[in-house]
Amino acid sequence: MGIFRLLFQPHRQLVFFALLAATLHMFLLLASPVQVPVVLYKLALTMLAAILGVFFDFAVFPFASPQSYLDEDWKKFPAAARPLDADFPIARGYQRAFVGACLRRAGLVAAFALSVSLGL
């Protein structure tokens, strides 16, 4: 159980999932090498759609981004670590607006990625 606790620490999660994706790509390469370019093409288009979804959110809602509802500017201390509290607390009275902004952005990204994925 200790290895999972080490792997799922926030600063190691990206490395873990990158290794997992590389391993799955190796299995795909061994099972069906002809399909590797097709899978990579589809993944690239889906990632591009997700990025376009975030840019669309920035363009349509420039003053309602989730980080605008935080107490402190997260860019001043990007690696804040408060063990007993949130790293960047939400401004008092804006919890619902923060949740709404996060859900809006997640919905837009999902809609863009899903629309491109269904078109493939």
Side-chain angles (χ1 to χ4, degrees):
M1 197 67 176
I3 188 73
F4 289 112
R5 193 175 323 143
L6 287 175
L7 286 176
F8 289 113
Q9 288 179 350
H11 60 281
R12 292 191 178 131
Q13 279 181 346
L14 186 60
V15 173
F16 172 72
F17 287 115
L19 288 174
L20 183 64
T23 304
L24 290 174
H25 276 87
M26 286 299 170
F27 283 131
L28 176 67
L29 184 64
L30 293 173
S32 179
V34 177
Q35 293 298 321
V36 172
V38 175
V39 170
L40 293 177
Y41 170 73
K42 289 182 178 188
L43 284 174
L45 281 180
T46 306
M47 287 189 295
L48 177 65
I51 292 168
L52 288 175
V54 172
F55 283 145
F56 182 79
D57 183 58
F58 282 141
V60 176
F61 305 103
F63 300 110
S65 62
Q67 62 263 23
S68 64
Y69 298 109
L70 299 177
D71 265 344
E72 304 169 10
D73 186 14
W74 67 273
K75 295 177 185 174
K76 290 181 183 176
F77 307 103
R82 297 179 182 140
L84 300 177
D85 197 13
D87 286 345
F88 302 102
I90 303 166
R92 187 176 300 269
Y94 288 97
Q95 288 85 4
R96 287 187 179 191
F98 176 77
V99 170
C102 289
L103 289 174
R104 182 200 69 234
R105 180 168 289 173
L108 281 171
V109 169
F112 270 70
L114 187 63
S115 65
V116 169
S117 297
L118 288 175
L120 295 175

